Amino acid sequence: MLILLDRDGVLNEDRPDFVKSPDELVMLAGAATAVARLNAAGHTIAVVSNQSGVGRGLMTQADLDAVNAALIEAVASAGGWLDAVIVCTDPPWAATARRKPGPGMLHEALTQFAAPPSDAVMIGDTLRDLEAAAALGIRRILVRSGKGRASEASGLPPSVQPVAVYDDLAAAAAALLAQGVA
Ligand SMILES: [Mg+2]
């Protein structure tokens, strides 16, 4: 299946001031290995990530590219790979439908991999990740890493239910693999 991953708070530590350089990229425990396990089971993995730090002028596209290259390297070190890294650099005040909670990036991933929504799952740490997936009828998983615990505590509205909740990407991946959804 197509597994859509938010980046910050799912694969790497979320930073309120944005991950602006490879030095600021801190992988979450077990995340890279989880990706490798999902790869090995035959899943396609696409990152769909809001990166408004570029649109806000806090970092450049080249900075973002360098961070994502470091992310890809970290995943590769665990024996895994990312099939696509899709980003949206829109600032919130000029958001297009690509910026989550808009479904644009998720739709692009479905199209790129010719996957129907029923064969996809979104894993994220914020409500907007879940909203973007719900808009397309994509299955939803919340992880408690990053902003996830706060997102869960805030209450998840009926519009995004049902949502499966796991402690982190490693736990979510283990559950997906146990369900035999390869
Ligand atoms: Mg996030």
Side-chain angles (χ1 to χ4, degrees), residues 8 21 36 41 67 120 136 140 154 172 175 179:
D8 301 328
S21 71
V67 171
L136 295 176
R140 299 164 290 284
S154 298
Q179 290 163 20

Side-chain angles (χ1 to χ4, degrees), residues 133-162:
L136 295 176
I138 294 171
R139 180 181 170 190
R140 299 164 290 284
I141 291 176
L142 179 75
V143 288
R144 295 189 178 101
S145 51
K147 297 185 175 83
R149 207 168 287 279
S151 302
E152 183 183 25
S154 298
L156 302 174
S159 59
V160 301
Q161 298 287 356

Side-chain angles (χ1 to χ4, degrees), residues 6-12 14 48-50 100 123-126 128-129 143 145-148:
D6 176 46
R7 195 192 78 179
D8 301 328
V10 175
L11 287 164
N12 56 273
D14 187 79
V48 286
S49 178
N50 285 358
K100 295 175 288 184
I123 304 177
D125 69 322
T126 65
R128 65 189 177 198
D129 298 316
V143 288
S145 51
K147 297 185 175 83

